[in-house]
Amino acid sequence: MSSEHSEEHEVAKVTDDGLLSEEINKAAFVPIFLMWAVMTVLGVLAGIFLVPHLMPKPYSPEGHDAQLTVQVFTIAAAPVAAFVFALSIYVLFGRRHRGDTPPEDGPPIRNNNRNVIGWLAASTLLVGFLLIWGITEWSVEQSVPPNQLQVNVTGQQWLWTFGYPASGVTSNELVLPVNRPVQFNITSVDVTHGFWPVSMGIQVDANPGQITVIRTTPNKLGKFVVRCSQLCGLNHAYMYAQAKVVSPADYAAWIQQQKSMSSAQALAGGRSNS
Amino acid sequence: MRRVFGPIVTVILGVAVIALVGLGFRSQTYVSPAGTQVAKQIGTATVGGKTVPHVALNLAVYPDASGSVNGQPVHPGGNPSWPTYAMTNQLQVPANSLVTMTIVQYDSGGSLNNPFFANVRGTVGGTATIDGKAVKTWNPNDIGHTFSLRPYPGVSPGFFVNVPLPLAGNADGSNNCDTAGCPHHTITFSFVSGSKGLYAWNCEFPCGLSVAGFGAVMSANGYMSGDLHVV
Amino acid sequence: MTTTTTAPLLEDTVLGPKAGRLYRHQNIVTGLIGGVVLAFIFWLIGHATLQDNPNWGSDMVVTVTGLGWVLGFNLGMGTFNAIWYWILGHDQTDDDLLYAAGVSQGKRRYWKYCTDHKVVGTQYLVLTLLLFFVGGTLAMMIRTQLLNPHMRFINQQTYNSIVTMHGIIMIVATIIMVSGPWANFIMPIQIGAKDMAFPRLNAMSFWVVASAVPFALGTFFLDGGANAGWTTYAPLSVQDGTAMDFFAFFICTFVVSVTVAGINTIVTILTMRTKGMTMGRLPVFSWGAMIGAALGLYAMPAFLLSMTGMFTDRVVGTSFYVAAGGGAGWLWENTFWIMGHPEVYVILVPPVAAMLEVASTFSRKPVFAYKIVVGAFAAIAGLSILVWAHHMFTTGWAPDLAGPFMLTTELISIPTGVIFLSIVGTLWRGSIWTRLPLYFVFLFVWDFIIGGVTGSYLSDVPADNFFHGNMFVTAHFHYTLLGGAMIAAAAALTYWFPKMTGRMLDEKVGKVAFWIIAISFQVTYIAMFIEGFKGMPRRVANYDPLFASENMWASMGAYSLMIGWLVLLYAVISSWRKGPLAPANPWYAKSLEWQVPTPVPLENFLVEPVVTGDPYGYGESGEAAQHHYFEEGGHGHEGGAH
């Protein structure tokens, strides 16, 4: 008894050599193409218009990158998803049989090497594109500019505090001067929190016993929020801070105002030593 | 037409039931078993050139929840060995008023995890009055508890208040005492309530157990945290 | 094909009065009594001796009590009976083994420790439905709290514990939802075996996981609940109250059960196939069950490892994850996600494989690209081992590894695409027989494409810097796990329902349920995607009014979705009780499980099947296109362990 079933089968004579024989091809092509085109156009329009309408306005190049990536991935995904949808919907256009007994058997198509290789090749190309996009974008974001403003971020249950070591100021609000590169040095004094300045397209955990670093350059004036993105206990939902990007003059004025406030040894990141 | 009548009616009824259930729950409000303390009006004040109501709130912080004041348990149904704010953690003040809060702090304490919370923030004049003396900050190693308040997400414009509550207690560090004669500090401060909204407050002193002292009582609803309703 | 046999049916054997010995007196009631009694005794001992340590005393007492419950319950069920008899030198007689397989007990055998794989499969199905019901109710509470931005339906501590338990109950339920009922009930018949390779371990795996369920429910009654999310990141989980000890116990017990079941599945498929059933003729579902089980064997020990470390950090004072003692949260995150990512494929592969059987039967065509899709399952399983740190892109751990993990994660979409190729290729030009199981296949295609595509957004690090910890992630995994895996499991349920219960599922009601589920699901989770685009974080009891209308839609959709599932549950229960009796092969399918009578006899086959091809010979002619034949003479079935 041979174990290779593909040799054993006396397959009923089949006129096509795969999924798309000529007569099927013509009948199927138009409705599938129409469905695919409509769904792709909707997806592309969503990517171009809906995504930026929904996402928060970006306050930095990384924020802009994140939004652009979502748009591009939506546009790239639309034809792929639309293709699968169109094919599977088209299947329902054909004869459909109800009832308690099955219809007669369909054609015994077990494989079609051309289609399989084509499908694999297309998905590999798509994956390659997404990868190249992602890695390029990510490596651009790794550069370290000079003249960074250092901001020490401390996460604790359940509030953020921000320290400006150059000025000796600590605050519960994040204020940044526009167009100046900033480096956040983040830590936690208790459990893992997620430092998420939402509109800046960057995010990193605040880990106890570690200092994690992320960098960006705010390039837009205005207000946004810093949320906590890692469940950290009872008041996780209320752990957020107001953030503002202001002109350098306003920033200097704010620093002065903070200095005039109380003078406890407010160092971010740990207990005082006294 | 008759064939689809049944399903259509069912769908409409189903949607109606779901909508009613959802809308019914939507306006339900959590009520603390200890009730809500509504700030009492004690007069009027001038803020930014306008005359606004002046209201008062009173809180106390006890080293454990086993006692009672004037016959009322300080934390009904609570874990008697845990410290607690009292008599309730739900506070209510009118919008756009001057709120004066008085907290009597009986518990012992120690060092904060983050010394920032030893600073007074968000109060009128940037100070708090501790045992009659106006201060801007306190020693971060002598803290009993803090009152730290911030808006619920999206409440705008909101305000942030932080007041350190110094530790009380005898020279030998003991303090398991919750009546008026025991060692305590009285802290008074004022802030301006803005427009309507909900605020969440919690203590930032690690009086709990486990990691960083924020487990157990610190992570349990109703002891060291609560809400401020600005209505 | 004639199945003439003059031998009496095995299940009609008259057993001696002492057959089964201790088993005769044991069932779930004795199990519950044993569990409660031993838990109480251990609690007394623990309370007297371990309570002193002020930090960990209550954790230790809770742990010891939990141990008492699991041991006591299983002692009471009779899980360890065979071991006692072996130690005492009393081998089990044939009558004992038949009693253990449920002979002469009727319906009572479902409440007992029963080694018949069909009984175990049915028990798993009921447990799974129960777990989904509990998890679903918790979900309704979550969505009610999220109706309004500043809703105070429940306080945030309760909310966090509900979010945590909803997550873990659903994860456990989805892990067992196809490998429990169907890899136990259907797979042995499908490969021509009498039972699983290790029937006693099979029953043990069920009762052990059943004994774990009270831990999950018990967390709500201990110290404010387990509040650290289903991912129980340490050190937050180390900080949590005593309920977290029950959570860890739940998982450790569950891992024991799943490991035993996984070994059983794999050994059964490798060693107990009938004559002629080569691996190349194995039905796709059996391949999926085996690959899922193998991946589980890799992943679940990592769960046990991470939980044990968290357990000892809490109960004994080690510092694996606590920075103050030299530990790191990163250690938790790595070991957890080394389990966590392969685990979602453990969840996904068996249902998808089952769904390919459904697609083939209801389009009357072979599974398209059978060998390649099996290879794709294996590739997914293998690759899933290499992607775990995509859950850690924003943790600050090893930023240089972001690129390699992006690569491996994106690569997984290639074999996943092959699955779509196979489904669509199977359906294409088929004679579509629109019965209820096929409906779920179409819904799977729709939902899983969306789920998979949104996964690729998350695999891109700059995008993940926006989406991590955001409701977009929640919507993504609900699309893949609920819309993908659970819908495929619903296809499996509606497909194999006649074989397991002997009755036909009410298709009218089932189709109503289907449409309610299909539409409500889109409403709920598309609204959730929009929440994610706007920037709403996960696991929050209250949120910015910016997200108000999306949450309202998501909550309404969720209520409606629950109703859809309840309608399906109603169809399942009412059909099970009084539906029309089912013929042996209502779908006219070719695989072996449909060639045995319904109800399936003990040891499945009255006559040994000999397999001559794969079960997808639709549309082909000739003897070799036939899947099997039954040996003439009917002298019963050889081989297989019992």
Side-chain angles (χ1 to χ4, degrees):
Chain A
M1 193 80 60
S2 160
S3 60
E4 279 303 305
H5 66 252
S6 51
E7 296 152 19
E8 297 171 339
H9 294 287
E10 291 164 26
V11 173
K13 193 96 174 65
V14 182
T15 53
D16 54 297
D17 63 350
L19 281 177
L20 297 173
S21 75
E22 282 197 27
E23 66 253 20
I24 310 288
N25 216 357
K26 289 199 187 94
F29 182 75
V30 170
I32 291 180
F33 178 77
L34 281 176
M35 286 191 286
W36 174 82
V38 166
M39 288 192 273
T40 301
V41 165
L42 285 174
V44 168
L45 287 175
I48 296 177
F49 298 111
L50 189 59
V51 168
H53 172 71
L54 291 173
M55 287 179 76
K57 297 277 169 288
Y59 273 72
S60 68
E62 290 80 5
H64 181 258
D65 274 349
Q67 195 177 288
L68 185 64
T69 300
V70 175
Q71 289 182 285
V72 164
F73 278 35
T74 308
I75 293 170
V80 172
F83 181 59
V84 175
F85 291 156
L87 285 178
S88 43
I89 294 173
Y90 180 76
V91 163
L92 292 167
F93 282 21
R95 296 170 298 149
R96 282 173 314 169
H97 182 89
R98 289 169 214 272
D100 288 332
T101 52
E104 66 178 43
D105 288 351
I109 303 170
R110 289 177 175 275
N111 198 0
N112 179 325
N113 285 325
R114 247 185 19 213
N115 288 63
V116 169
I117 291 176
W119 192 282
L120 283 172
S123 34
T124 308
L125 280 173
L126 183 64
V127 161
F129 165 73
L130 297 176
L131 253 178
I132 292 175
W133 177 278
I135 292 188
T136 312
E137 210 182 18
W138 174 78
S139 37
V140 163
E141 291 183 1
Q142 303 311 299
S143 60
V144 180
N147 189 29
Q148 292 184 108
L149 171 67
Q150 300 291 327
V151 176
N152 296 334
V153 179
T154 305
Q156 58 256 309
Q157 288 168 306
W158 291 282
L159 282 165
W160 294 104
T161 51
F162 305 97
Y164 296 79
S167 334
V169 151
T170 317
S171 167
N172 61 290
E173 272 190 318
L174 177 64
V175 177
L176 298 170
V178 73
N179 291 327
R180 168 124 186 247
V182 59
Q183 172 168 310
F184 295 105
N185 307 301
I186 300 131
T187 189
S188 160
V189 298
D190 38 42
V191 299
T192 309
H193 301 271
F195 175 65
W196 184 28
V198 180
S199 307
M200 305 199 88
I202 53 172
Q203 179 187 159
V204 80
D205 282 355
N207 301 304
Q210 313 279 351
I211 299 182
T212 46
V213 173
I214 46 175
R215 305 179 178 89
T216 186
T217 306
N219 57 13
K220 182 169 139 71
L221 295 166
K223 291 192 194 164
F224 58 95
V225 289
V226 174
R227 298 196 175 111
C228 178
S229 60
Q230 187 59 51
L231 178 64
C232 56
L234 184 70
N235 275 354
H236 163 68
Y238 317 101
M239 179 167 171
Y240 71 102
Q242 300 295 336
K244 277 197 300 212
V245 178
V246 296
S247 68
D250 287 342
Y251 172 75
W254 179 80
I255 292 282
Q256 281 309 113
Q257 187 218 19
Q258 291 294 306
K259 279 185 181 174
S260 77
M261 297 175 92
S262 45
S263 58
Q265 286 163 309
L267 299 165
R271 305 160 101 91
S272 68
N273 291 325
S274 61
Chain B
M1 183 56 201
R2 273 194 67 202
R3 271 182 58 183
V4 294
F5 183 72
I8 288 181
V9 168
T10 310
V11 168
I12 293 177
L13 276 177
V15 169
V17 166
I18 292 172
L20 280 172
V21 166
L23 290 170
F25 276 126
R26 198 167 198 253
S27 38
Q28 179 159 358
T29 326
Y30 165 77
V31 175
S32 159
T36 304
Q37 188 190 143
V38 180
K40 285 215 285 271
Q41 177 144 7
I42 56 173
T44 59
T46 313
V47 172
K50 291 191 349 190
T51 312
V52 297
H54 188 186
V55 299
L57 284 171
N58 292 288
L59 285 178
V61 190
Y62 296 110
D64 61 63
S66 59
S68 42
V69 172
N70 299 332
Q72 265 208 313
V74 301
H75 190 120
N79 183 333
S81 57
W82 283 359
T84 182
Y85 278 74
M87 308 295 292
T88 174
N89 68 344
Q90 300 293 311
L91 312 167
Q92 180 177 307
V93 298
N96 300 312
S97 354
L98 181 69
V99 180
T100 297
M101 203 164 198
T102 306
I103 307 184
V104 185
Q105 209 293 102
Y106 292 91
D107 198 6
S108 55
S111 299
L112 286 167
N113 285 341
N114 185 340
F116 174 81
F117 297 103
N119 300 316
V120 175
R121 287 281 191 271
T123 58
V124 169
T127 60
T129 305
I130 301 189
D131 298 326
K133 192 163 149 245
V135 295
K136 283 188 178 181
T137 184
W138 198 259
N139 184 339
N141 299 317
D142 287 339
I143 303 292
H145 295 276
T146 75
F147 183 80
S148 313
L149 176 81
R150 93 297 251 143
Y152 266 47
V155 171
S156 182
F159 55 89
F160 172 77
V161 172
N162 180 74
V163 175
L165 310 174
L167 61 82
N170 302 311
D172 66 356
S174 72
N175 184 351
N176 270 313
C177 182
D178 56 9
T179 62
C182 302
H184 62 273
H185 294 290
T186 307
I187 302 97
T188 312
F189 56 95
S190 302
F191 58 89
V192 178
S193 69
S195 37
K196 281 200 265 213
L198 266 172
Y199 290 74
W201 64 265
N202 62 257
C203 164
E204 286 289 337
F205 175 80
C207 63
L209 299 176
S210 191
V211 175
F214 260 72
V217 61
M218 290 296 288
S219 288
N221 188 66
Y223 293 81
M224 292 283 129
S225 56
D227 301 305
L228 174 78
H229 305 245
V230 178
V231 299
Chain C
M1 169 191 85
T2 49
T3 54
T4 48
T5 168
T6 52
L9 288 178
L10 202 54
E11 53 262 50
D12 293 336
T13 311
V14 175
L15 299 176
K18 288 228 172 63
R21 291 190 258 190
L22 199 53
Y23 280 136
R24 293 191 83 86
H25 312 288
Q26 291 177 299
N27 55 32
I28 195 176
V29 173
T30 56
L32 286 169
I33 293 173
V36 168
V37 164
L38 208 62
F40 182 65
I41 292 174
F42 276 41
W43 178 79
L44 277 176
I45 297 174
H47 192 77
T49 56
L50 299 167
Q51 187 68 29
D52 289 339
N53 185 314
N55 273 333
W56 315 314
S58 47
D59 289 308
M60 290 176 171
V61 173
V62 163
T63 303
V64 159
T65 310
L67 194 61
W69 162 262
V70 172
L71 287 177
F73 181 88
N74 283 291
L75 277 171
M77 281 308 303
T79 308
F80 307 126
N81 284 4
I83 303 177
W84 310 139
Y85 289 131
W86 177 71
I87 288 177
L88 293 171
H90 301 308
D91 282 335
Q92 302 211 19
T93 64
D94 280 348
D95 269 11
D96 289 334
L97 296 174
L98 282 174
Y99 189 91
V103 169
S104 81
Q105 288 153 66
K107 292 262 188 300
R108 284 183 292 129
R109 65 194 195 281
Y110 289 98
W111 299 103
K112 296 166 71 92
Y113 182 91
C114 179
T115 58
D116 180 6
H117 70 100
K118 299 183 283 301
V119 169
V120 174
T122 310
Q123 292 168 326
Y124 262 111
L125 180 64
V126 170
L127 178 69
T128 305
L129 292 174
L130 221 85
L131 286 175
F132 278 132
F133 183 77
V134 171
T137 306
L138 294 172
M140 293 305 105
M141 297 183 69
I142 295 173
R143 287 311 326 173
T144 304
Q145 168 65 15
L146 295 181
L147 267 174
N148 226 340
H150 296 167
M151 184 88 153
R152 299 293 284 160
F153 170 59
I154 44 179
N155 66 54
Q156 54 268 41
Q157 186 184 19
T158 309
Y159 180 81
N160 287 346
S161 64
I162 290 178
V163 162
T164 303
M165 295 320 294
H166 162 78
I168 196 62
I169 288 176
M170 288 307 203
I171 289 288
V172 167
T174 47
I175 290 176
I176 64 176
M177 69 182 168
V178 166
S179 48
W182 313 113
N184 276 316
F185 192 111
I186 296 293
M187 178 273 287
I189 315 177
Q190 227 182 33
I191 64 175
K194 289 193 299 186
D195 202 311
M196 301 280 277
F198 306 115
R200 277 195 291 261
L201 286 184
N202 203 12
M204 174 211 163
S205 76
F206 173 74
W207 286 111
V208 165
V209 73
S211 70
V213 170
F215 290 127
L217 301 174
T219 59
F220 287 113
F221 299 102
L222 277 181
D223 226 2
N227 297 329
W230 84 272
T231 52
T232 53
Y233 269 25
L236 180 65
S237 49
V238 177
Q239 193 188 65
D240 216 359
T242 46
M244 191 55 72
D245 301 311
F246 263 16
F247 186 102
F249 229 100
F250 176 53
I251 296 302
C252 294
T253 316
F254 170 67
V255 169
V256 168
S257 162
V258 141
T259 303
V260 164
I263 294 174
N264 211 353
T265 305
I266 296 170
V267 173
T268 306
I269 293 176
L270 288 180
T271 63
M272 299 200 42
R273 287 165 285 127
T274 187
K275 243 201 310 220
M277 171 76 78
T278 61
M279 294 304 274
R281 294 177 185 155
L282 199 63
V284 176
F285 172 61
S286 295
W287 273 112
M290 184 170 70
I291 291 173
L295 190 59
L297 281 183
Y298 164 82
M300 291 302 147
F303 211 177
L304 190 62
L305 180 77
S306 52
M307 279 292 160
T308 308
M310 185 256 274
F311 212 39
T312 56
D313 270 13
R314 294 173 52 81
V315 171
V316 175
T318 54
S319 296
F320 291 107
Y321 311 121
V322 180
W330 284 336
L331 180 62
W332 170 269
E333 291 164 19
N334 272 299
T335 38
F336 182 85
W337 287 116
I338 282 174
M339 175 284 299
H341 198 85
E343 179 244 353
V344 308
Y345 293 103
V346 173
I347 294 176
L348 189 71
V349 167
V352 169
M355 195 192 54
L356 281 170
E357 303 274 4
V358 173
S360 165
T361 304
F362 292 95
S363 45
R364 316 307 293 174
K365 279 180 71 228
V367 171
F368 183 76
Y370 163 87
K371 289 206 172 98
I372 296 179
V373 82
V374 167
F377 285 139
I380 288 176
L383 271 173
S384 71
I385 291 172
L386 300 174
V387 302
W388 80 91
H390 66 230
H391 299 271
M392 296 173 60
F393 281 150
T394 62
T395 57
W397 177 77
D400 291 335
L401 291 179
F405 279 107
M406 249 199 282
L407 168 69
T408 52
T409 309
E410 297 269 15
L411 282 180
I412 280 209
S413 39
I414 298 178
T416 314
V418 168
I419 291 178
F420 283 105
L421 172 66
S422 183
I423 301 174
V424 171
T426 307
L427 293 170
W428 183 262
R429 290 186 60 204
S431 279
I432 302 295
W433 188 16
T434 51
R435 301 296 297 268
L436 182 60
L438 191 65
Y439 281 52
F440 289 103
V441 175
F442 282 95
L443 183 60
F444 172 88
V445 171
W446 178 274
D447 287 342
F448 198 70
I449 275 265
I450 296 178
V453 154
T454 49
S456 69
Y457 290 33
L458 294 170
S459 69
D460 177 275
V461 174
D464 190 58
N465 282 334
F466 178 76
F467 286 129
H468 178 85
N470 171 322
M471 288 305 280
F472 185 92
V473 177
T474 312
H476 157 73
F477 69 69
H478 279 86
Y479 254 94
T480 48
L481 290 179
L482 213 186
M486 265 179 83
I487 294 302
L493 170 65
T494 52
Y495 180 56
W496 280 314
F497 188 85
K499 183 55 64 177
M500 182 190 257
T501 65
R503 296 180 185 270
M504 296 301 286
L505 184 64
D506 185 338
E507 286 203 24
K508 276 219 198 70
V509 177
K511 285 175 181 173
V512 167
F514 170 82
W515 284 112
I516 298 177
I517 291 171
I519 298 191
S520 337
F521 182 86
Q522 312 309 319
V523 168
T524 311
Y525 293 103
I526 289 180
M528 204 176 281
F529 272 126
I530 296 180
E531 289 168 19
F533 278 124
K534 284 187 168 183
M536 177 175 165
R538 284 174 73 176
R539 298 166 167 163
V540 288
N542 295 104
Y543 52 85
D544 192 319
L546 179 65
F547 313 120
S549 54
E550 290 77 24
N551 273 283
M552 169 73 113
W553 278 101
S555 292
M556 296 299 182
Y559 291 143
S560 174
L561 182 62
M562 181 74 169
I563 289 178
W565 286 112
L566 287 173
V567 171
L568 186 64
L569 184 67
Y570 166 79
V572 165
I573 294 178
S574 81
S575 304
W576 203 327
R577 294 184 59 214
K578 51 185 184 1
L581 290 176
N585 192 354
W587 314 125
Y588 296 81
K590 293 185 183 294
S591 43
L592 278 174
E593 75 266 26
W594 299 109
Q595 314 310 322
V596 294
T598 302
V600 184
L602 193 61
E603 301 200 343
N604 305 331
F605 294 93
L606 301 168
V607 185
E608 178 183 14
V610 177
V611 169
T612 55
D614 69 19
Y616 306 118
Y618 300 101
E620 293 170 344
S621 60
E623 207 186 74
Q626 189 183 0
H627 176 41
H628 68 285
Y629 63 87
F630 284 111
E631 236 175 32
E632 299 296 332
H635 53 260
H637 194 77
E638 302 291 341
H642 193 86

